[in-house]
Amino acid sequence: MSFEEIFRRWEKRNSESGDPADPDGGEKAQRERERLESLLDQYPPDPAFTSESEEHSRLEKPHPRTLPIDDELDLHGMTVEEATAVTQRFIESSLAAGHRKVLIVHGKGLHSQDGGVLKQAIRRFLEKHPDTGAMGTPKQRDGGSGASWVMLRYRSR
């Protein structure tokens, strides 16, 4: 409900409930309405905060899951140490390039004896990294559980 609609309802309610004991009640209410309308003319409601505003929808932050992937890194066949070093360089270069969301393909670990060692190590590395924020599992077409998307965090320097 917009501010204008709330005001109109209030105005209607006050005009209908005139006090018969107060002969100037109607005049007082009219003066008050005029005063409030002049205030609205001087200080109109900010359209960014009204639900009808198109600008309001643009001000809402999109969910990280819905943002496009700006770049990707494939870690298949690497050891944990190699993958961690390559991921560190990838994050640095992605930040320098102004990327917001990146995809890291680590694989599911189906061919290793210990399961998804690389997946677990890279996830832990990303969770602790100061330049990374939200992360998640992408859709199947982007790698599913064999990949992770991560939002990059830009810090003021």
Side-chain angles (χ1 to χ4, degrees), residues 58 60-71 98-103 134-135 137-139 141-142 149-152 154:
R58 286 184 292 193
E60 292 178 7
K61 284 186 174 180
H63 193 281
R65 189 178 308 126
T66 63
L67 294 172
I69 294 169
D70 296 319
D71 200 2
H99 296 321
R100 199 166 164 194
K101 179 179 175 182
V102 294
L103 182 72
M135 69 177 134
T137 303
K139 294 180 180 174
R141 70 172 183 259
D142 292 324
W149 59 259
V150 63
M151 297 298 297
L152 299 178
Y154 288 85

Side-chain angles (χ1 to χ4, degrees), residues 92-126:
E92 290 170 2
S93 66
S94 294
L95 286 167
H99 296 321
R100 199 166 164 194
K101 179 179 175 182
V102 294
L103 182 72
I104 300 175
V105 181
H106 41 64
K108 297 178 183 180
L110 299 176
H111 301 295
S112 57
Q113 294 171 320
D114 301 327
V117 176
L118 193 57
K119 176 181 180 175
Q120 293 171 5
I122 292 301
R123 284 286 226 164
R124 278 194 305 273
F125 174 77
L126 293 172

Side-chain angles (χ1 to χ4, degrees), residues 51-87:
S51 61
E52 294 85 17
S53 165
E54 287 178 32
E55 189 175 339
H56 177 71
S57 62
R58 286 184 292 193
L59 294 175
E60 292 178 7
K61 284 186 174 180
H63 193 281
R65 189 178 308 126
T66 63
L67 294 172
I69 294 169
D70 296 319
D71 200 2
E72 74 177 68
L73 171 67
D74 190 343
L75 302 174
H76 279 102
M78 295 184 193
T79 65
V80 170
E81 294 77 24
E82 292 169 339
T84 304
V86 169
T87 303

